[in-house]
Every structure is written in structure tokens, then in C-alpha cells.
Amino acid sequence: MYIIDGIAYAGEKKEPIKVVGIKPLSDYKLWVRFNTGEAKIYDCKPLLEYPCYVPLKDTELFKEVYIDYGVPTWQNDEIDIAPEELYEKGTAVSSIKTA
């Protein structure tokens, strides 16, 4: 149990997931390092069908990803992806086969 602002919560307090390192890869993938120390690969291709992510089809824009307060962002904070999405649906780097 933990208490925040006088409110008691069950369970253990966890730090929110944040991105601390990011690198764009080929084929619309991102290499992501989290504040947990884990690294994952996230495939952005499925997102590109949503209107808000269509600009990222431009590979030059896709490569301009940066981190703003723990969140991957493009175009001056106009486009972002939740760190939780990247963490939950990303593939652990250690489980990816390398050539």
C-alpha cells in the first residue's frame, strides 16, 4: 500500500514507463530504451493507417523522432506515441534474431 495526497492505494507504487533512448530503424521500426533498463523494437507500420500518423510515412520525417519528457515525438510535439504502447507491444531486443 502507498499513499499519495492522502489517498491510499493498494499494491506497490510503480514508476511510470518512460522512454530514455530511441533510434529510428529501417522499415518504420523504432529501437526504444525504457527507464526500466529494457530495450525493445516497436513496429510502427500498423499505426501508419491512422490519420494522425500518416505524415510518418515520409521516411525523412520518421527519422526525426526525439524524446520529450519520456515520450517519443515528431513535428514539434504534434505526433507522439505513448510509452506504454511501445513497452507493451514492443519486442524485447534479446528475443530478436540477428543475422
Side-chain angles (χ1 to χ4, degrees), residues 1-9:
M1 181 173 84
Y2 60 98
I3 299 174
I4 299 177
D5 296 329
I7 299 171
Y9 296 89

Side-chain angles (χ1 to χ4, degrees), residues 17 34 40 42 82-91:
I17 295 291
F34 298 94
K40 296 189 178 190
Y42 181 82
E84 297 83 3
E85 165 75 9
L86 300 173
Y87 186 81
E88 291 170 13
K89 296 185 180 168
T91 303

Side-chain angles (χ1 to χ4, degrees), residues 18-74:
K18 292 183 180 180
V19 173
V20 297
I22 196 156
K23 181 179 178 184
L25 304 174
S26 63
D27 202 26
Y28 299 105
K29 292 182 181 169
L30 295 172
W31 174 91
V32 187
R33 168 89 54 200
F34 298 94
N35 59 336
T36 62
E38 297 168 89
K40 296 189 178 190
I41 302 292
Y42 181 82
D43 185 355
C44 292
K45 284 188 303 254
L47 296 179
L48 301 178
E49 300 308 313
Y50 294 98
C52 62
Y53 293 109
V54 167
L56 297 181
K57 287 182 178 180
D58 176 347
T59 55
E60 292 306 310
L61 176 60
F62 183 78
K63 292 177 187 177
E64 293 177 9
V65 65
Y66 62 96
I67 302 168
D68 189 19
Y69 295 100
V71 178
T73 306
W74 293 265

